[in-house]
């Protein structure tokens, strides 16, 4: 730590992301059993700021969520920060006042760990840059931020880049990838996929039924684990190609199969979990009917919960909004839909 007193504030806004090839199962220190590919969102984000001050004997630690002290989140945040002291030793001697808020209601059932952990990781990495003058090149800065985000939540590693990103070693000669951090995957995306929309249909606003860590651990002795690995590897290769070639039919097939595979894996775990609700299935059936009737490019994906993400092109926004209003909102809790879209990635707030 430099001798002089160092104090300041860093603030980052970082978005959530939706995986098209899902990360499910991990080993070692937050390493993924398979590679995943996601699209970073725009409107669903976390803003986190850290006031820091060095040279404190008994450093102050305060965490506020939406302006209030939050015990449950606080415990997770300080445990995570303590785990990073080998990487950021200066944190041990700093006052840290962390304030965080989400753009979406906490009860909306959106997985918030990707946005929350990436925003925090970007702030912590930025403190290193300010204190030591390291990580000047953006490339090095985002690589480290992604590495740090991964240690908080695997999917958060992907949120440090806008557009598309890949995390985890893909078994493909065509896809550049790493296990320890995510890689930006935007250089070869066909225009058809550069302005995708994501309407998040909130079927259930409750908390997740199964935590991600329990979910990942269920893959350790899963009877279909090997087949899942083979499927994910195949999907990575095929989806990378579909995104490059503008092949919407292949995209739909892979994205929907991935979503249903994730849920099928949970339904065949020991113990098993059914995370979809009857309304999730009603929506899926309606989407399939609408696609058959209109020939539009539209598909669904799911996270580890009952809410349905509808993916479609901005060109069809008007027609699809009508479809959502007329046929799908009836299956949502309080007719709640969050309209999001592909985003540009995190933003440093001055
Ligand atoms: O980042 P975690 O540990 O919350 O795991 C996320 C897992 C999924 O959201 C189901 C899939 C993914 O790749 O985002």
């Amino acid at each position: 730590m430099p001798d002089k007193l160092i104090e300041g504030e860093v603030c980052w806004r970082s978005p959530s992301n939706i995986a098209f090839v899902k990360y499910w199962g991990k080993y070692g220190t937050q390493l993924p059993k398979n590679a995943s590919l996601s699209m970073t969102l725009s409107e669903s984000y976390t803003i986190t700021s850290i006031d820091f001050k060095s040279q404190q004997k008994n450093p102050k630690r305060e965490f506020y969520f939406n302006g209030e002290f939050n015990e449950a989140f606080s415990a997770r945040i300080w445990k995570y920060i303590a785990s990073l002291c080998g990487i950021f030793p200066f944190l041990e001697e700093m006052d840290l006042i962390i304030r965080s808020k989400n753009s979406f209601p906490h009860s909306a059932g959106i997985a918030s760990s990707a946005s929350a952990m990436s925003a925090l990781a970007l702030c912590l990495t930025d403190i290193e840059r300010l204190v030591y003058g390291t990580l000047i090149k953006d490339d090095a800065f985002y690589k480290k931020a992604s590495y740090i985000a991964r240690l908080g939540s695997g999917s958060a590693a992907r949120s440090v880049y806008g557009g598309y990103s890949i995390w985890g070693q893909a078994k493909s000669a065509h896809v550049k990838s790493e296990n320890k951090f995510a890689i930006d995957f935007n250089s070869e995306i066909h225009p058809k996929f550069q302005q995708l929309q994501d309407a998040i249909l909130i079927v259930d606003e409750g908390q997740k039924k199964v935590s991600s860590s329990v979910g990942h651990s269920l893959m350790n002795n899963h009877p279909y684990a090997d087949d899942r690995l083979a499927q994910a590897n195949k999907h990575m290769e095929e989806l990378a190609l579909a995104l490059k070639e503008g092949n919407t039919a292949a995209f739909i097939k892979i994205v929907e199969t991935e979503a249903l595979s994730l849920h099928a894996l949970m339904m065949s775990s020991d113990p098993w979990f059914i995370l979809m609700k009857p309304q999730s299935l009603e929506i899926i059936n309606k989407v399939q009917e609408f696609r058959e009737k209109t020939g539009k490019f539209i598909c669904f994906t799911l996270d580890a919960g009952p809410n349905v993400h509808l993916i479609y092109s901005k060109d069809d926004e008007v027609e699809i909004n009508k479809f959502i209003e007329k046929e799908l909102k009836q299956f949502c809790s309080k007719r709640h839909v969050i309209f999001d879209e592909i985003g540009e990635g995190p933003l440093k707030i001055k």
Side-chain angles (χ1 to χ4, degrees), residues 24 214-215 217-219 221-224 262-273:
W24 203 235
V214 170
S217 72
L218 292 172
M219 286 309 289
N221 295 305
H222 198 287
Y224 306 136
L262 173 71
H263 283 254
L265 287 165
M266 278 181 278
M267 289 162 92
S268 48
S269 297
D270 179 12
W272 52 261
F273 292 95

Side-chain angles (χ1 to χ4, degrees), residues 97-280:
I97 318 282
I98 306 180
R99 294 181 180 84
S100 200
K101 61 180 181 208
N102 291 342
S103 64
F104 45 92
H106 181 61
S107 59
I110 293 187
S112 57
S113 65
S115 57
M117 294 321 245
S118 58
L120 183 56
L122 285 155
C123 287
L124 296 170
T125 310
D126 212 7
I127 297 178
E128 176 192 317
R129 179 160 66 176
L130 291 168
V131 173
Y132 291 101
T134 53
L135 307 169
I136 296 304
K137 288 202 172 136
D138 275 356
D139 209 24
F141 176 79
Y142 287 104
K143 195 190 267 189
K144 180 138 189 188
S146 175
Y147 180 101
I148 299 295
R150 176 197 114 234
L151 297 173
S153 161
S155 56
R158 300 184 307 242
S159 270
V160 309
Y161 299 110
Y164 295 89
S165 49
I166 284 179
W167 168 52
Q169 197 70 61
K171 305 276 176 294
S172 160
H174 308 113
V175 181
K176 201 172 151 228
S177 57
E178 287 280 350
N179 262 349
K180 293 193 173 164
F181 47 83
I183 289 183
D184 170 277
F185 187 68
N186 289 295
S187 62
E188 287 190 303
I189 301 290
H190 191 279
K192 277 186 194 167
F193 296 116
Q194 288 177 10
Q195 30 89 3
L196 290 190
Q197 308 294 293
D198 178 4
I200 311 168
L201 305 170
I202 310 296
V203 166
D204 187 349
E205 309 200 326
Q207 296 281 329
K208 281 206 225 172
K209 232 176 166 184
V210 194
S211 72
S212 291
S213 34
V214 170
H216 291 296
S217 72
L218 292 172
M219 286 309 289
N220 290 339
N221 295 305
H222 198 287
Y224 306 136
D226 292 345
D227 289 338
R228 165 59 190 156
L229 272 192
Q231 182 195 44
N233 287 330
K234 182 168 164 278
H235 281 165
M236 281 300 293
E237 174 108 40
E238 290 171 354
L239 188 60
L241 191 67
L243 288 169
K244 182 174 161 188
E245 292 179 342
N247 186 342
T248 52
F251 177 92
I252 293 170
K253 189 162 163 247
I254 298 161
V255 170
E256 293 187 344
T257 306
E258 273 292 312
L260 295 177
S261 281
L262 173 71
H263 283 254
L265 287 165
M266 278 181 278
M267 289 162 92
S268 48
S269 297
D270 179 12
W272 52 261
F273 292 95
I274 300 177
L275 301 183
M276 274 193 261
K277 292 267 157 100
Q279 300 92 302
S280 319

